[in-house]
């Protein structure tokens, strides 16, 4: 039934026709559209909603009703919608109603609220109909259902309408679902009050926004932002000090929280008559009413609390294994002490209790100290203390008082049983459920249970699989770890634990160090083994997860190794049975005809995308042919393709080999052979929306971007590169364009075949002329510069890049699919319109718009430049049904007021106004700027109100979709299990709440990464995403551990929007916004499924920098997740098997990366101990020998550890190998893996692991998580050396160089072949950024790069330069110091983002304790090697010296020299600077260069002197340098953390130091104290400069020989881009002048580079070669 809707057009509305064919009077609707509109209009006038909000929500409501009514009775449709929103078992409002105990006290507060505060006068409460006051939850639920059943259709529609109107205008409050429930409750109470009925005049249109939403919005905004200079800037608050969305929402979970809400006068909201609370919202004092509900302190202790069961399982089990295998540590060999062994092993129970005890103590810091919380934790603490005493006391008794005898054995055995019970209990039972819940606490825990622990149940077979899976994982893990790690460890333990080294003494420490050296070595080895014990679990998890997932793929039929499926020969039948709802068709048509329409449409769509040539299309299409014997009749002939695929004798080519068309057709055929939900008739399918958030992603590539190089470092145009990647598709495109050009007569005689050249003797000339005429087509895609031909080329390129146009055109295939299915399943429609194609197309378009909506949320739409605006307008003109939501900000009319922000919706049918803009369909005012978080989630939230239908698919702006996949959408929507509903009201007597199944909240789908095969890095990134999106999620969905990962998941619209939306948005904390929606849905009872038969395209990052930026964003986001309350709730409440699934699929991956890199570092530190002993003490294989030490078992341990770490790294390739094997066969899988290895991808994997580990460590220490725009362009541009160095020095290069020095020492003192792997690993951490840099080894570019590196080191001291070493150095420092408060308007304030000062308590461990421990370890090892007699005195007595002074001199002397030089230079600059700056603008740079040069020479000089002091002993010198670096590192970190104040964001103080000009720098009073601060900074900077100078040159020296390999750039490009030599990217073209200039620079800096390289080689190699003639007694001259 058509209806008219008013759309805002200034004061004059425009009429838009909207039809709801399933909701008409003829269908017997309980309420007409006009009646529903009247209801919403009345609510709007009485509550003060905006008119556009009303019109928008009317469309939302009517679309929902029409969608439901298309497949059920209209009355039932209204009842089910009401049940989903308000009254049903799974409605969030109902759950909140009972969780907040309103079922017992509908007045909110009188009966249920805390009695500690002033009671409420019951006479002030409004009477409630049919609700009794009672204490029985069952009675309350009965009364609720009775009330819902008796409710009229009018009231049901009114309640849903009221909720929608409140939700549609709630803005940020949509993130607070229970707050919104309370708002709705207050509004409902007001509606039922006499005041509402007596109200005659309408309230102002923005009353609700101004009085209810805006005050709370301002409170939320002010938590994160403050006003400076009239602008909102981010506050320096971490999450622990910010009352965020979740804290506010939790206040409405319980009556105690609601009771705390006070008005500005101090009166409680619950003290007000229930009908009057709606009017009191504007007077609420939110500052005093809200508090933190969970404190997200930035600490690693979250891991101990949330994942305590992981630590218990591993640490206690490792204790059991080690204690059992090392009885020699605690048993007397000559006595029978079996009881002691039982008890010592059983002490693991006390360890388990201790871990739990520490976890509970940590919980005190995360949970607010309320009476209830403290009482609960204290009770748990008491139980744990008792458990620990119970498990520790027997050990004390047996070991100290009764080691032998029967009683000892009995007590020991009994102790072991108790220990096992304790450990198993703490490992299995979630910590929050240890003490259970009594009846007294049942009501109090109801809210927590409802909103944090209503986990969906796994069905029986899936739960059994989950338990069996983890039993298998841990069974294999424990067996392997025992025999490979724990049992072999007893040999080195036995060899070293009691070993004492003789004839060893330090001058200051005496023999203490020598006596404990073996013990320290054992401790380090023990810790390494424990870390490997953790890593083994993840190793077995990956193996069995992959095996099970592959097995399920065989079972589902998604593998190419399932021959029984007859994939292609049965495809026509499957198209008919699985894509067409033929059973309900009015006219019966042959299946072959129906199948042909769908198949032909799929083939033609691929042809239009230039995936197929016309020849291929002819072979793939169904054709009408004459019937044999009767030429007047025709029959439909199927293509031979269906049988040819399974008949090897047929050699016809149906599509290009290994083409995109082949992949899509193969998956289409494969997927239809799997189980798929039966589709409803297309008329009955539910309405759904595709929502795409867009910020600055490229919409459509311009011609300039396509045919010009990106920049001077790029060697290829985008079009040329795309032509090389897609040669067949380009050829099809050119052929198609030529045909169009000939038809349009845009040029004459295009083929060169005029009548004057038709002679046979001119064939060659004609062919040459034809090629010349065709050259423009094959070069740029067109010959005529007509706009339509230019646009075709732009579109062709855009559809092969990661653009918004590709996404829109791909997902608009839903519209095409719906039209196609509507035609196929409703032949009467085609007959009705006869031959009128235009009217038929209009009907098809109307129907498609009824069932499908596409919304792009363009956050920056009003700020688009001209090109972006034109591209957006092109999208609207190409797809008129496309809707664009954007934010429109209007400047305030009065100065000092805030801008007015609107949420606006337009589409391609909106009128274009004189200013070129489109007139909005809806324009809804917001309380303020909605972008308070990291952007994407807020962008989705403001646009979600424009979504239509029952489901929404979330899609990123770099995805794609295909027609054949869009045809399956009805089956995907069927996964929500809402399409076949029995014809009974959810409130009827036949329906009980126990019958209600847990709703499906999210349905995930596969992703095909279309950026695969675009070079090694693109393929590695694609492979990881492919494995995660298929193999991993397949198993996660089966085990009940899948969450929401953003794309291309389908979401249950009502379920998600009534529970906080499709993502979360607190800035920083919710950086990975999508996964929080998944955790929210999972915790609140929503099931999450995964559809194997449906896939979307997805682009991934392609370059080294962009991939690692993405990994950094994921890693820092995981760091934020560790702090979140969601991890706390899941980690402390999930049953064990599901907890393990959650842990190892999400945080466990990142913890595993941390453990991998930690194992590498700890292993190298243990190698320092072992190497120190092996280089100083005689090695023997028999412990009984004196004067030597048995290190043979230790060497075996080294080999085993290296093998373990190697296996842990290598397991990353197993999932991709098996995934490729199952879907593409053995040969393709081996080829892909082989290409990865040949392209050195293992080096990249090592580097990625370190980036992941570093990003999460940095975030948990310093914070600062923020969105990183990774950029997803093609990685063809060479990145300069200095940019790569500055980007990755902190995360990886420094650590890699420190490990390299340790590895050099280990290799020099105790070489084993297994160390080769560590050399590869360490070098990967250092050189990976340069190995994977395009054209890194082009000789001239390499030398020019060196020049830029030197310039980067030296600039920024006279003039501000963002790309300089000093800027990089200051950025590293500001992680700790932070910036001074931002001064708006200062010209250099944009040099860096706002960074707060790090919390001292947070960074104390990471920045002081850990460097101190490393320093102690390194110095002790150096002292040990110098603890042996170096000489004899005159009496022949051994002389013992200490290396302490020597290592101290090496560490501190360069800093002292630098301090002296800086003092002199500061005096010179202060005296001469003001004068010299007038004539020499480079004075500051010269002074800095002098200081930096001296710092480098000083560092080199001291290192060489130190080597000489060590009598040219290379191993001792390296160990001394390692120790000196650790000392210097610790010292500088202490200076930075303790003494340095905040950094100025501008760099004036640095330039003032070198130029001597301190006035006029904008420093104010800081100019007095700043020189002293800068002096400390410069001392640190000088040492850092020397290290960076040497380290950068060492890396360049290593890379330089590679540049000398012939044709290395060609081979390197082949490795990176996977392009054959014939398709190599051409070298850049330069003018003669540019070539001469580049050549001159290359020669000059090449000579300098070679000279420095020679000097370096002489300094390092010279003493080694000339060791016999080098002086050995320098230590006597310099006695340190």
């Amino acid at each position: 039934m058509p209806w008219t809707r008013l759309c805002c057009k200034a004061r004059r509305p425009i009429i838009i026709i909207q039809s709801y064919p399933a909701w008409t009077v003829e269908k017997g609707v309980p309420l007409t559209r006009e009646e529903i509109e009247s209801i919403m209009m009345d609510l709007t006038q009485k509550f003060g909603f905006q008119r556009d909000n009303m019109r928008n929500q009317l469309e939302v409501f009517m679309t929902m009703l029409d969608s439901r009514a298309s497949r059920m009775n209209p009355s039932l449709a209204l009842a089910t919608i009401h049940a989903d929103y308000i009254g049903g078992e799974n409605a969030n409002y109902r759950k909140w109603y009972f969780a907040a105990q309103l079922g017992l006290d509908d007045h909110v507060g009188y009966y249920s609220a805390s009695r500690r505060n002033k009671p409420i006068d019951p006479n002030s409460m409004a009477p409630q109909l049919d609700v009794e006051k009672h204490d029985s939850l069952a009675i309350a639920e009965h009364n609720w259902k009775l009330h819902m059943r008796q409710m009229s259709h009018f009231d049901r529609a009114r309640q849903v309408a009221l909720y929608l109107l409140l939700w549609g205008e709630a803005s940020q409050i949509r993130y607070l679902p229970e707050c919104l429930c309370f708002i709705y409750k207050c509004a409902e109470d007001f509606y039922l009050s006499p005041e509402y009925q007596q109200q005659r005049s309408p309230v102002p249109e923005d009353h609700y926004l101004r009085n209810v939403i805006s005050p709370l919005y301002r409170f939320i905004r002010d938590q994160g932002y403050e006003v400076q200079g009239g602008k909102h800037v981010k506050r320096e608050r971490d999450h622990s000090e910010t009352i965020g969305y979740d804290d506010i929402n939790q206040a409405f979970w319980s009556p105690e929280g609601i009771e705390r809400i006070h008005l500005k006068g101090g009166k409680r909201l619950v003290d007000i008559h229930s009908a009057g609370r709606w009017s009191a919202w504007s007077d609420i004092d939110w500052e005093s009413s809200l508090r933190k509900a969970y404190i997200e302190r930035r600490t690693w202790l979250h891991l101990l609390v949330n994942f305590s069961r992981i630590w218990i399982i591993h640490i206690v089990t490792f204790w059991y294994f080690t204690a059992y295998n090392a009885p020699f540590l605690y048993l007397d060999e000559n006595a029978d002490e079996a009881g002691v062994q039982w008890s010592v092993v059983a002490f693991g129970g006390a360890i388990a209790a201790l871990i739990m005890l520490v976890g509970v103590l940590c919980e005190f810091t995360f949970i607010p100290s309320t009476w209830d919380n403290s009482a609960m934790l204290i009770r748990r603490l008491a139980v744990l203390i008792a458990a620990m005493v119970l498990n520790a006391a027997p050990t004390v008794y047996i070991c100290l008082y009764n080691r032998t005898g029967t009683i000892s054995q009995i007590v020991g055995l009994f102790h072991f049983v108790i220990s096992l019970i304790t450990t198993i209990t703490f490992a299995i039972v979630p910590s929050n459920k240890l003490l259970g819940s009594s009846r007294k606490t049942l009501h109090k825990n109801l809210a927590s249970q409802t909103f944090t622990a209503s986990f969906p149940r796994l069905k029986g077979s899936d739960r059994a699989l989950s338990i069996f899976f983890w039993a298998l994982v841990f069974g294999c893990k424990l067996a392997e770890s025992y025999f490979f790690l724990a049992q072999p460890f007893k040999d080195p333990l036995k060899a070293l634990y009691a070993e004492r080294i003789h004839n060893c003494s330090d001058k200051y420490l005496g023999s203490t160090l020598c006596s404990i050296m073996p013990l320290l070595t054992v401790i380090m080895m023990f810790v390494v083994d424990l870390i490997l014990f953790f890593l083994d679990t993840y190793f077995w998890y990956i193996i069995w997860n992959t095996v099970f997932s592959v097995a399920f793929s065989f079972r589902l039929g998604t593998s190419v190794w399932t021959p029984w499926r007859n994939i292609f020969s049965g495809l026509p039948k499957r198209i008919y049975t699985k894509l067409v709802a033929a059973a309900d068709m009015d006219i019966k048509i042959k299946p072959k005809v129906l199948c042909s329409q769908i198949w032909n449409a799929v083939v033609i769509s691929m042809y239009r995308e230039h995936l197929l040539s016309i020849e291929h299309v002819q072979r793939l299409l169904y054709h009408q042919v004459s019937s044999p014997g009767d030429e007047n009749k025709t029959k439909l002939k199927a293509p031979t393709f269906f049988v040819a695929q399974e008949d090897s004798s047929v050699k016809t080519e149906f599509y290009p080999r290994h083409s995109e068309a082949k992949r899509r057709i193969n998956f289409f055929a494969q997927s239809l052979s799997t189980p798929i939900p039966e589709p409803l008739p297309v008329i009955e399918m539910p309405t759904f929306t595709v929502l795409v958030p867009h910020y600055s992603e490229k919409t459509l590539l311009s011609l300039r971007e396509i045919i010009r190089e990106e920049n001077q470092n790029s060697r290829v145009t985008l079009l040329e590169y795309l032509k090389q990647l897609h040669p067949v598709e380009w050829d099809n495109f050119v052929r198609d364009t030529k045909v169009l050009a000939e038809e349009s007569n845009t040029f004459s005689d295009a083929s060169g075949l005029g009548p004057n050249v038709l002679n046979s003797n001119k064939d060659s000339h004609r062919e040459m002329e034809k090629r010349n005429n065709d050259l423009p087509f094959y070069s740029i895609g067109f010959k005529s510069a007509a706009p339509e031909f230019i646009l075709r080329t732009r579109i062709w390129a855009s559809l092969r890049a990661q653009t918004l146009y590709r996404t829109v055109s791909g997902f608009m295939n839903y519209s095409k699919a719906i039209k196609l299915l509507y035609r196929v399943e409703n032949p009467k429609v085609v007959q009705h319109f006869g031959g009128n194609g235009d009217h038929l197309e209009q009907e098809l378009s109307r129907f498609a718009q009824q069932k499908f909506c596409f919304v792009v949320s363009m956050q920056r739409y009003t700020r688009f430049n001209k090109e972006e605006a034109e591209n957006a307008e092109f999208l609207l003109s190409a797809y008129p049904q496309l809707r664009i939501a954007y934010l429109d900000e209007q400047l305030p009319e009065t100065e000092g007021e805030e801008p007015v922000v609107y949420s606006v919706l337009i589409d391609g049918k909106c009128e274009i106004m004189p200013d070129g803009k489109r007139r909005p369909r809806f324009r809804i005012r917001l309380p303020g700027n909605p972008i308070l978080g990291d952007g994407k989630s807020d962008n989705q939230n403001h646009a979600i109100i424009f979504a239509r239908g029952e489901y929404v698919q979330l899609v990123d702006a770099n995805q794609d979709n295909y027609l054949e996949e869009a045809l399956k959408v009805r089956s995907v929507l069927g996964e929500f299990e809402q399409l076949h509903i029995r014809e009974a009201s959810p409130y009827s007597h036949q329906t009980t709440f126990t019958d209600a199944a847990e709703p499906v909240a999210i349905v995930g789908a596969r992703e095909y990464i279309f950026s695969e095969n675009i070079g090694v890095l693109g393929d590695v990134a694609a492979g990881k995403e492919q494995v995660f999106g298929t193999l991993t999620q397949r198993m996660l969905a089966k085990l009940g551990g899948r969450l929401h990962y953003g794309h291309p998941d389908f979401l249950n619209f009502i379920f998600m929007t009534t529970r906080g939306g499709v993502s979360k948005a607190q800035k920083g904390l919710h950086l990975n916004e999508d996964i929080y929606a998944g955790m929210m849905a999972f915790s609140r009872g929503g099931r999450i499924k995964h559809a194997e038969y449906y896939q979307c395209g997805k682009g991934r990052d392609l370059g080294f920098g962009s991939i690692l930026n993405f990994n950094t964003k994921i890693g820092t986001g995981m760091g934020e997740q560790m702090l979140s309350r969601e991890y706390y709730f899941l980690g402390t409440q999930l049953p064990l098997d599901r907890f393990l699934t959650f842990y190892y699929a999400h945080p466990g991956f990142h913890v595993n990366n941390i453990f991998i890199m930690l194992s590498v570092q700890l292993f190298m530190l243990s190698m320092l101990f072992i190497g120190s002993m092996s280089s100083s003490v005689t090695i023997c294989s028999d412990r009984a020998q004196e004067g030597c030490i048995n290190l043979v078992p230790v060497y075996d341990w080294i080999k085993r550890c290296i093998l373990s770490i190697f296996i842990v790294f290598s397991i990353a390739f197993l999932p991709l190998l098996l995934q490729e094997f199952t879907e593409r066969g053995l040969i393709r899988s081996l080829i892909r893996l082989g290409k990865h290895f040949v392209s050195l991808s293992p080096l990249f994997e090592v580097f990625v692991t370190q980036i992941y580990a570093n990003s999460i460590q940095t975030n948990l220490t310093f914070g600062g998580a923020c969105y990183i725009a990774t950029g997803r362009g093609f990685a063809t541009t060479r990145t300069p050396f200095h940019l790569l160095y500055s980007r990755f020095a902190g995360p990886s290069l420094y650590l890699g160089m420190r490990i390299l020095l340790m590895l050099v020492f280990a290799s020099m003192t105790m070489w084993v072949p297994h160390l080769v792997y560590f050399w590869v690993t360490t070098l990967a951490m250092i050189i990976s950024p340069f190995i994977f840099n395009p054209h890194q080894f082009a000789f001239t570019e390499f030398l020019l790069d060196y020049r830029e590196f030197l310039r980067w080191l030296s600039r920024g001291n006279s003039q501000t330069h963002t790309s300089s070493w000093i800027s990089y150095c200051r950025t590293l420092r500001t992680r700790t110091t932070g910036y001074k408060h931002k001064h708006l308007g200062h010209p250099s304030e944009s040099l860096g983002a706002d960074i707060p000062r790090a919390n001292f308590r947070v960074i104390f461990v990471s920045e002081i304790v850990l460097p101190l421990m490393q320093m102690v370890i390194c110095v002790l090892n150096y002292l040990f090697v110098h603890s042996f007699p170096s000489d004899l005195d005159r009496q022949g007595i051994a002389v013992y010296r200490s290396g302490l002074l020597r290592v101290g001199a090496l560490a501190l002397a360069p800093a002292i020299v630098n301090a002296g030089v800086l003092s002199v230079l500061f005096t010179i600059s202060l005296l001469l600077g003001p004068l010299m700056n007038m004539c020499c603008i480079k004075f500051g740079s010269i002074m800095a260069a002098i200081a930096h040069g001296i710092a480098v020479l000083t560092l080199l000089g001291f290192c060489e002197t130190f080597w000489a002091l060590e009598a040219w002993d290379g191993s001792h010198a390296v160990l001394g340098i390692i120790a000196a670096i650790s000392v210097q590192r610790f010292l500088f970190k202490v200076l930075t953390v303790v003494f340095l104040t905040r950094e100025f964001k501008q760099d004036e103080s640095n330039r003032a130091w070198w130029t001597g000009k301190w006035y006029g720098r904008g420093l104010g009073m800081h100019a007095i104290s700043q020189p002293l601060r800068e002096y400390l900074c410069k001392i640190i900077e000088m040492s850092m400069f020397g290290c960076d100078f040497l380290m950068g040159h060492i890396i360049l020296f290593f890379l330089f020989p590679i540049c000398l390999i012939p044709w290395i750039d060609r081979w390197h490009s082949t490795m990176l881009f996977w392009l054959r030599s014939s398709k190599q990217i051409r070298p850049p073209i330069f003018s003669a002048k540019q070539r001469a200039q580049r050549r001159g620079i290359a020669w000059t800096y090449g000579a300098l580079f070679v000279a420095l390289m020679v000097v370096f080689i002489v300094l390092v190699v010279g003493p080694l070669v000339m060791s016999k003639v080098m002086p050995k007694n320098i230590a006597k001259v310099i006695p340190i």
Side-chain angles (χ1 to χ4, degrees), residues 859 862 886-890 900-904 917 920 923:
Q859 183 179 328
T862 56
Y886 65 90
L887 296 172
D888 186 14
E889 183 175 319
Q890 289 189 350
V900 180
V901 184
Y902 294 88
S903 188
V904 184
K917 299 180 181 179
R923 194 165 185 265

Side-chain angles (χ1 to χ4, degrees), residues 1398-1412:
N1399 189 308
F1400 180 79
R1401 290 175 300 177
V1402 175
I1403 66 174
F1404 177 74
V1405 173
S1406 63
E1407 294 298 290
I1408 294 182
V1409 175
L1410 294 182
L1412 174 63

